[in-house]
Amino acid sequence: MSGARVILRVDGVSKRFGGVVALDNVSLEAEEGGIYGLIGPNGSGKTTLFNCITGVYKPDKGRVFFDGRDITGLQPHVIARLGVARTWQKVRPFRNIKVIDAVIAGGLLKTSSISEARKIAEETLELVGVAREEWGKLGSEISLMEHKLVDLARAIATKPRLLLLDEIAAGLRPHEQEKLAEVIRRVWRERGLTIIVVEHVMKFVMSLSRKIFVLHEGRLIAEGTPEEIASNPKVIEAYLGIKPA
């Protein structure tokens, strides 16, 4: 990835909620076409950082740049139209909506044509591996794994350049996590996206990521390859609460 164009730059971002400092002067860069991991213990600020990038929260300090443009504080739908998509930490079931319609909703971000949005949805569902016989089912009729794939498809249907995945593997069995990792790799290869994965399942995020950022108590404490992060004393201390010998 070295030398590639920087598509996301977070510059000194801080965010407080009352007396709680959720993010403390966080700076990082993601190059176009890379897959990154964002890890850290519970409460370290990972989802808050995603929320600041996507416009759900406005940082108290610092700036967020996407493809060289300052997007700090823009509305979420504006940022999405610029090419930043995300999934959410908790699955948001669409119990009374068909699978295909849930993904069409994503496609409508970039087109006003229902037929065009449906074409986008069909192509995207095929890309992530949702069987055609599932497309007409309601959200109440599909499994958690299928919900994860539909959430992923809905985000991809917005035609992003940057895709943020927030604990997308949570709640899945190991073999489902492996299948999901393969799907993400396929999306990355075929669509050329930049992907940042927030995840607590270390095997999942380590196998996917070329570079990993580590947050602890709102601060960026380390960044590097999976191998470098796995042996980093600061990371070990943050996760285990003990200093390595």
Side-chain angles (χ1 to χ4, degrees), residues 77 80-86 88 94 97-114 116-122 124-125 150-160 191:
H77 69 277
R81 285 199 180 100
L82 291 174
V84 181
R86 69 175 295 175
W88 297 86
F94 47 97
I97 302 175
K98 293 180 180 179
V99 164
I100 186 70
D101 292 332
V103 184
I104 286 173
L108 286 170
L109 183 74
K110 296 289 181 66
T111 179
S112 59
S113 167
I114 294 292
E116 179 63 22
R118 185 179 183 88
K119 181 181 178 183
I120 293 168
E122 290 176 349
T124 307
L125 285 168
V150 173
D151 277 356
L152 178 61
R154 184 165 44 193
I156 297 167
T158 68
K159 296 189 175 181
R191 296 294 175 92

Side-chain angles (χ1 to χ4, degrees), residues 47-59:
T47 296
T48 300
L49 181 58
F50 270 15
N51 286 337
C52 287
I53 293 169
T54 57
V56 177
Y57 299 148
K58 182 178 180 179

Side-chain angles (χ1 to χ4, degrees), residues 5 20 22 49 92 103 133 156-157 169 242:
R5 180 176 182 173
V20 177
L49 181 58
R92 299 182 174 190
V103 184
E133 56 266 28
I156 297 167
I242 55 173

Side-chain angles (χ1 to χ4, degrees), residues 105 121 127 157 160 164 226:
L127 175 65
L164 309 178

Side-chain angles (χ1 to χ4, degrees), residues 134-145:
E134 304 294 310
W135 295 3
K137 290 185 178 180
L138 299 176
S140 59
E141 300 172 326
I142 64 175
S143 68
L144 176 62
M145 178 63 181

